[in-house]
Amino acid sequence: ALEKKVVKSKAGEKIGLPCCHEIPSSESLDNYRVYWQKNTTDVVLAYAEGKKISQHERYKNRAKMDTSNLTLWISPVEILDNGPYQCVVQHLRFSQNSVVVCDELVSLFVTAEFSKPNITAEVSAHSCESTEMVVRCSSHGGFPKPKISGDLNNVSVVWNASWVSESSLSPYNVTGKLLLNVTKDVSITCSVGYNGFVKSTSLLLKKMNDCIVPTVPPSYNVITASSIIIIIFLLAITLAARYLVRH
């Protein structure tokens, strides 16, 4: 194979992998052997002299070949179908000999969409000035390994991200975490995806406003001065009353 072609698809779709040879209208599949192989070792589907002679168990009821242009059709396509495929075509010119007329690779790249991100916020502490929050963003079921990004009031933020997948060809679950000190109401956005396939969610984070300012008791000097003034006032009234009684 001198050149490698790439076919892209989403999980669940029907996809066709083109072969490097097309049978002329003057001939039929009876004159050929056709092998569709994956990773150059596993035979997905094989025909000889017009009859199907082999099919891989994992592709049973999912793969078939066009008997004219030899395209391999897979439906529904799965994440595990990712990888290189090889179309090998032999022409049976003589009863005992065959000639290879085609041997070419085509690579299948299958993607799966992630769920819409889910954002949660948990208050860890708050004061009159700010509210401390633990914000998490999660998404699941996509492929390949995604990027997670976001912004806070249109300013980019970096998530502390973690990914979980059973294998290199299994769906990914991703979770991002942020520690925020919120001093006013802000909007946070979380985006999960790869290349042009991105899904986003936004959430309004509100600063807690149930702060009660404690009443400051008057100082000792203020209390003392006020007491002296009141005592002097009472003494003045008492003396004035006695003076009026005598006169």
Side-chain angles (χ1 to χ4, degrees):
L2 300 178
E3 185 179 354
K4 189 175 181 180
K5 298 179 180 179
V6 177
V7 176
K8 297 181 180 180
S9 176
K10 291 182 181 180
E13 293 182 344
K14 181 179 181 180
I15 190 67
L17 302 180
C19 185
C20 47
H21 184 77
E22 185 172 342
I23 297 177
S25 58
S26 58
E27 294 187 290
S28 69
L29 191 60
D30 296 343
N31 303 117
Y32 291 86
R33 292 197 190 104
V34 182
Y35 300 92
W36 268 105
Q37 303 172 159
K38 184 182 179 185
N39 299 322
T40 69
T41 54
D42 297 330
V43 176
V44 177
L45 195 61
Y47 277 80
E49 300 178 1
K51 297 179 181 180
K52 183 167 65 175
I53 60 173
S54 177
Q55 183 167 23
H56 197 284
E57 184 66 25
R58 211 179 67 77
Y59 291 87
K60 189 176 181 179
N61 300 323
R62 288 198 309 122
K64 65 179 182 179
M65 188 186 73
D66 189 304
T67 56
S68 176
N69 59 21
L70 309 182
T71 297
L72 178 66
W73 290 96
I74 304 175
S75 178
V77 71
E78 301 173 353
I79 294 176
L80 286 175
D81 296 334
N82 268 293
Y85 290 75
Q86 186 177 14
C87 182
V88 181
V89 182
Q90 299 174 346
H91 191 280
L92 304 176
R93 293 184 179 179
F94 305 101
S95 59
Q96 299 297 327
N97 299 320
S98 62
V99 178
V100 176
V101 296
C102 167
D103 184 350
E104 187 174 275
L105 286 174
V106 56
S107 184
L108 176 59
F109 182 63
V110 182
T111 61
E113 289 189 358
F114 281 85
S115 63
K116 187 175 181 180
N118 180 47
I119 303 177
T120 60
E122 179 182 353
V123 176
S124 56
H126 72 93
S127 63
C128 294
E129 292 77 22
S130 64
T131 300
E132 295 181 7
M133 293 184 179
V134 179
V135 183
R136 290 182 174 86
C137 174
S138 60
S139 181
H140 63 274
F143 187 89
K145 184 179 180 180
K147 293 182 179 180
I148 179 169
S149 59
D151 58 72
L152 192 66
N153 278 1
N154 297 321
V155 178
S156 296
V157 294
V158 178
W159 295 88
N160 182 12
S162 60
W163 295 266
V164 177
S165 179
E166 293 182 0
S167 69
S168 60
L169 288 177
S170 296
Y172 282 88
N173 297 339
V174 59
T175 301
K177 181 180 177 182
L178 280 178
L179 301 179
L180 298 178
N181 192 21
V182 179
T183 58
K184 61 180 180 180
D185 293 354
V186 293
S187 176
I188 188 167
T189 299
C190 177
S191 301
V192 175
Y194 42 84
N195 299 332
F197 304 98
V198 178
K199 289 190 175 182
S200 301
T201 299
S202 296
L203 180 67
L204 180 64
L205 303 178
K206 293 187 175 183
K207 176 185 174 296
M208 298 184 67
N209 293 317
D210 59 345
C211 181
I212 300 176
V213 179
T215 303
V216 179
S219 65
Y220 175 78
N221 292 334
V222 174
I223 295 175
T224 303
S226 300
S227 301
I228 293 173
I229 293 172
I230 293 172
I231 292 171
I232 293 173
F233 179 73
L234 293 175
L235 288 174
I237 293 176
T238 302
L239 293 173
R242 290 182 178 180
Y243 177 81
L244 292 174
V245 169
R246 290 178 182 179
H247 295 83

